[in-house]
Amino acid sequence: MSKYTTETLRSVALVGHGAAGKTSLAEALLFATGTIPAKGSVDKGNTVADFDAQEKEAGHSLTSAVVNFGYEDTHVHLIDTPGYPDFSGQAIAALAGVDTALIVINAQTGVELMTERMMRHAAERKLCRMIVINKIDADNLDLPGLVADIRERFGKQCMLLDLPAHDAADVVEVLEHDAGDADFESVAAAHRALIDQIVEEDEDMLAQYLEDGADPSATALHAPFEKALREGHLIPILFTSARTGAGIKELLHVLASLAPNPAEGNPPPFYKGEPGDKTEPFDAEPDAAKHVLAHVFKVVADPYMGKIGIFRVHQGTVRKDAQLFVGDGKRPFKVAHLYQLQGKDTVEVDELLPGDIGAIAKVDEIEFDCVLHDSHDEDHIHLVPLEFPKPMAGLAVETKKKGDEQRLFDILGKLAMEDPTFVVERHPTSNETVIRGLGEIHLKAKLARMAGQYKLEVDTKPPRIPYCETITAPAEAMYRHKKQSGGAGQFGEVHLRIEPKGRGEGFEFVDAVKGGVIPGVFMPAVEKGVRQALEGGVVAGYAVDDLKVTVFDGKTHAVDGKEVAFTIAGRKAVIEAIRGAKPIVLEPIVNIEIVLPEGAIGDLTGDLSSRRGHITGTDGRGHGMAAITGEVPLAELNDYQSRLKSLTGGQGSYTIEFARYAAVPPNIQQQLASKFQLHDEDE
């Protein structure tokens, strides 16, 4: 039996920008609770959460890591996540496993790119949020200015839950204290503002508070505090130093007494049905006696344990030796071993309760984002998927040694299985295998892992830019395929209409044929031909998308009507229609953020303009650094890292995120079209 109950469980994720000290904070929490005998150091490479050899070499987290500890009769599952934008897929995925997001901010550098992104992702997921300002022991800090900036960016609901005191040697809690020394602001004023905000969540408590002016008890404040967290009406601000330990005990107390248990947080957004069909919300109850419902938010390809699925239990009790199903799978698997995780270490347990985070190994059917359950009643239950940034940075890869191609595909498959923001593409027309990630550092980490763990060396080169084609006007066309070569021939005639759809709406095929002029048995062949044409492109050899194709007429022949004839007719008819529908080539536009020395802003602005980009904003980052945001075509960034290094003396860095597709200028479309020869001869 478990030593704790669902009511005493807490699940939190440490998220925020790189170098905010999240891994060090996890280490300090583990040490303060007696879980580890001594604090490790990121610099020394001996922390519990950063256990991978690559992470130790890089000096920062590359993947999320799960640890757990007990404190004040509670049991806390904590996920330490990477902070650099290139590895944000791991941080976003972790949000599906927790009730509370602790957004960690570096007191020296303030609100940064991933601070804002993770605050937004956590809000969209309706997680309870708390802000932890770490490294308060650093020199030359402006903590009042930082608090003001946090409130300006994220709202006045960001309120002080404690304050640094005695030159940041410790902190003073302000919920239960209305007096005391603090390094800035008044403890009494912070206390009053916090109480005023909390009591607004309960009308009866507010009326009593206004009437007699007395503070409600800490017990009475718990329910409205939780409600304020759930509704986003309160985002507490806490202060810590993972290095000195200041604020660590206070943070632990907050997690134990104020962070929500699985029944107090906002319910996970499960739904019943299949994507694209009619669905309805499904309420997962954190009841240990109900059917099991668990969600896999991380998959690891471990060289010793095989595939590991890391999951959060939302309902029921997962027990060792139980039978579980994966999604709508018809055959169950046996839970031979059940684990909790402490960094790289696995601790075998007998059961996991609602709110627990655990792991199962060596089950091939488990995939990222799948649902585990123990009854066919839950076959069609899914968790609303998280939104991940689209991987846009790419490299074409090929093996150095002949005969390693299959190994390459197997290894890339394992890497893609682990990371929702790493994708592998195979382009038959260019014979390229392309890997895509969130940035140059992301891809370099994957290549290093291929070389280090899997002993596979590859050559790389810039890939083809993922252009696509679409149409801007409706058009109609017909094509008759007729072939006679002695004996039975081939005959098929197709009339179709094409219309543009909104950007991102995809392809739609409609059968509007009446009277059986094209027998239904041949309509799949027509659609096959249409799809072949769209995949191969018409203008410049890139896939055609965002259009509706309606087949409305045609002819067949009693003897010569054949599938191959209708496939060819469908393909050629849609090609002719596209040529008359004012086709255009679209290119990916990315949002770019560049962190650079202030003195280089002029040069960078001019360079971006020369790349068809434009600036959307600038922001001071302190310490002589600034951030430029803008938009630029992805095609213009092939050599950007080296150019940025040159313009900033090696001090610049950038991140990109997919924004949208836009039409290429006419001269570029002409260049792309001139390199493409459409092969549409009869098959």
Side-chain angles (χ1 to χ4, degrees):
M1 293 292 290
S2 297
K3 297 178 181 178
Y4 48 81
T5 64
T6 291
E7 288 69 29
T8 61
L9 279 171
R10 308 287 184 268
S11 59
V12 297
L14 297 175
V15 299
H17 202 80
K22 297 182 297 296
T23 301
S24 298
L25 195 57
E27 200 75 5
L29 293 168
L30 290 168
F31 174 66
T33 56
T35 309
I36 56 176
K39 279 195 296 186
S41 161
V42 172
D43 292 336
K44 293 180 180 178
N46 60 349
T47 62
V48 176
D50 281 359
F51 54 83
D52 183 81
Q54 265 189 277
E55 291 178 313
K56 294 177 182 181
E57 184 177 346
H60 60 81
S61 302
L62 301 176
T63 66
S64 61
V66 180
V67 299
N68 65 91
F69 52 83
Y71 186 76
E72 288 186 0
D73 299 322
T74 62
H75 192 84
V76 180
H77 292 286
L78 183 142
I79 307 177
D80 177 36
T81 70
Y84 290 104
D86 281 34
F87 306 100
S88 61
Q90 291 281 318
I92 295 169
L95 298 180
V98 300
D99 298 310
T100 303
L102 296 183
I103 294 93
V104 185
I105 296 176
N106 185 335
Q108 297 172 291
T109 53
V111 176
E112 299 177 87
L113 174 65
M114 283 294 286
T115 317
E116 296 188 296
R117 284 188 184 175
M118 294 312 298
M119 181 69 87
R120 185 182 73 246
H121 283 296
E124 289 171 351
R125 202 65 180 180
K126 295 186 177 179
L127 296 180
C128 298
R129 290 166 289 161
M130 299 184 187
I131 292 171
V132 179
I133 298 176
N134 192 30
K135 301 189 178 182
I136 60 171
D137 58 305
D139 296 328
N140 303 317
L141 300 181
D142 179 14
L143 293 179
L146 175 53
V147 171
D149 187 39
I150 288 170
R151 286 172 173 160
E152 182 179 342
R153 292 173 186 260
F154 304 126
K156 59 181 177 51
Q157 66 269 32
C158 299
M159 307 196 72
L160 298 168
L161 194 56
D162 59 33
L163 280 164
H166 310 118
D167 294 327
D170 51 36
V171 304
V172 56
E173 190 272 340
V174 303
L175 179 61
E176 298 182 38
H177 298 86
D178 60 2
D181 296 326
D183 292 344
F184 72 95
E185 287 208 24
S186 157
V187 172
H191 169 83
R192 187 59 47 217
L194 185 60
I195 297 293
D196 289 348
Q197 183 80 357
I198 296 170
V199 297
E200 286 186 3
E201 301 295 327
D202 186 311
E203 290 185 8
D204 293 337
M205 184 180 292
L206 177 60
Q208 185 68 34
Y209 176 67
L210 293 174
E211 182 178 334
D212 59 27
D215 289 349
S217 68
T219 303
L221 286 170
H222 183 85
F225 187 96
E226 295 293 345
K227 183 181 178 185
L229 282 179
R230 285 195 303 272
E231 301 289 337
H233 298 163
L234 174 62
I235 303 174
I237 300 175
L238 301 105
F239 295 85
T240 62
S241 167
R243 188 181 71 84
T244 68
I248 296 301
K249 282 288 175 68
E250 288 76 11
L251 174 57
L252 284 167
H253 179 69
V254 167
L255 294 179
S257 62
L258 295 174
N261 66 41
E264 292 172 326
N266 285 316
F270 282 102
Y271 67 91
K272 192 165 189 173
E274 292 301 324
D277 295 334
K278 186 177 179 181
T279 63
E280 58 184 36
F282 180 86
D283 294 326
E285 299 179 40
D287 184 338
K290 286 186 171 286
H291 285 171
V292 169
L293 200 64
H295 173 260
V296 176
F297 63 86
K298 181 178 172 69
V299 173
V300 177
D302 186 88
Y304 306 106
M305 296 182 66
K307 182 189 279 191
I308 301 174
I310 302 171
F311 58 91
R312 157 75 180 264
V313 183
H314 291 280
Q315 179 179 286
T317 303
V318 179
R319 293 185 172 87
K320 184 180 176 181
D321 295 327
Q323 303 272 329
L324 292 181
F325 297 94
V326 179
D328 61 357
K330 302 308 176 190
R331 295 180 57 188
F333 68 89
K334 182 181 178 181
V335 182
H337 299 278
L338 194 59
Y339 303 102
Q340 282 190 344
L341 301 174
Q342 196 72 288
K344 68 178 178 181
D345 296 327
T346 54
V347 180
E348 196 154 356
V349 295
D350 292 328
E351 65 179 24
L352 295 172
L353 301 175
D356 264 326
I357 291 175
I360 295 172
K362 298 179 180 178
V363 180
D364 290 339
E365 294 84 359
I366 286 181
E367 303 289 346
F368 171 77
D369 206 31
C370 72
V371 168
L372 308 178
H373 57 95
D374 62 357
S375 165
H376 283 303
D377 292 345
E378 283 79 41
D379 276 354
H380 300 288
I381 292 175
H382 306 272
L383 194 65
V384 172
L386 293 150
E387 287 195 21
F388 293 94
K390 186 174 182 178
M392 297 304 299
L395 283 173
V397 297
E398 59 182 21
T399 57
K400 287 183 180 288
K401 287 172 54 181
K402 290 256 184 199
D404 274 349
E405 290 80 11
Q406 189 56 51
R407 278 194 70 218
L408 172 65
F409 296 137
D410 291 343
I411 293 166
L412 291 179
K414 290 179 180 178
L415 297 179
M417 172 187 74
E418 295 180 317
D419 189 341
T421 56
F422 178 75
V423 298
V424 183
E425 303 170 353
R426 180 68 183 164
H427 298 282
T429 51
S430 61
N431 203 31
E432 281 186 338
T433 298
V434 176
I435 57 173
R436 294 201 181 276
L438 298 183
E440 182 179 353
I441 300 172
H442 190 195
L443 295 180
K444 280 185 175 179
K446 299 298 182 187
L447 295 174
R449 185 154 173 223
M450 289 168 65
Q453 180 177 330
Y454 295 105
K455 312 301 180 189
L456 180 67
E457 299 282 348
V458 296
D459 291 318
T460 65
K461 63 180 181 180
R464 293 210 316 172
I465 298 298
Y467 295 104
C468 65
E469 302 176 17
T470 193
I471 59 172
T472 60
E476 291 186 5
M478 65 79 66
Y479 189 84
R480 176 186 296 161
H481 175 72
K482 186 176 182 180
K483 188 174 184 181
Q484 204 75 36
S485 56
Q490 299 174 4
F491 184 90
E493 182 176 315
V494 172
H495 298 242
L496 52 77
R497 178 187 311 113
I498 62 174
E499 307 163 65
K501 296 183 71 175
R503 197 77 77 237
E505 291 184 7
F507 165 65
E508 181 183 0
F509 182 83
V510 178
D511 175 6
V513 171
K514 296 180 180 178
V517 291
I518 298 179
V521 69
F522 292 137
M523 195 53 69
V526 176
E527 182 176 357
K528 177 183 175 183
V530 167
R531 289 183 180 275
Q532 284 178 354
L534 300 184
E535 288 169 6
V538 176
V539 177
Y542 300 97
V544 188
D545 205 1
D546 297 335
L547 77 165
K548 177 180 178 181
V549 177
T550 303
V551 179
F552 62 87
D553 201 0
K555 290 181 183 177
T556 188
H557 186 277
V559 176
D560 294 346
K562 289 184 174 63
E563 285 188 8
V564 63
F566 281 99
T567 298
I568 294 170
R571 179 167 59 84
K572 293 195 172 183
V574 83
I575 288 172
E576 289 303 313
I578 289 170
R579 285 171 170 161
K582 299 180 180 177
I584 58 172
V585 176
L586 303 173
E587 65 178 339
I589 306 295
V590 296
N591 294 320
I592 187 168
E593 179 174 82
I594 308 165
V595 178
L596 72 167
E598 289 176 341
I601 289 177
D603 290 340
L604 259 294
T605 301
D607 186 68
L608 266 187
S609 296
S610 72
R611 295 170 184 267
R612 298 189 288 127
H614 70 274
I615 304 299
T616 57
T618 58
D619 185 22
R621 284 291 167 86
H623 306 284
M625 301 296 285
I628 292 176
T629 54
E631 288 189 338
V632 64
L634 180 65
E636 301 288 343
L637 295 177
N638 265 345
D639 62 341
Y640 198 62
Q641 187 63 46
S642 58
R643 178 62 174 160
L644 181 61
K645 185 177 180 180
S646 171
L647 290 173
T648 64
Q651 295 184 67
S653 62
Y654 77 99
T655 60
I656 59 173
E657 187 175 46
F658 175 75
R660 66 186 190 283
Y661 270 91
V664 301
N667 64 311
I668 293 180
Q669 177 159 325
Q670 192 172 8
Q671 291 173 15
L672 294 170
S674 67
K675 300 174 184 176
F676 175 63
Q677 178 94 30
L678 180 63
H679 300 287
D680 61 348
E681 68 274 2
D682 288 358
E683 296 179 12

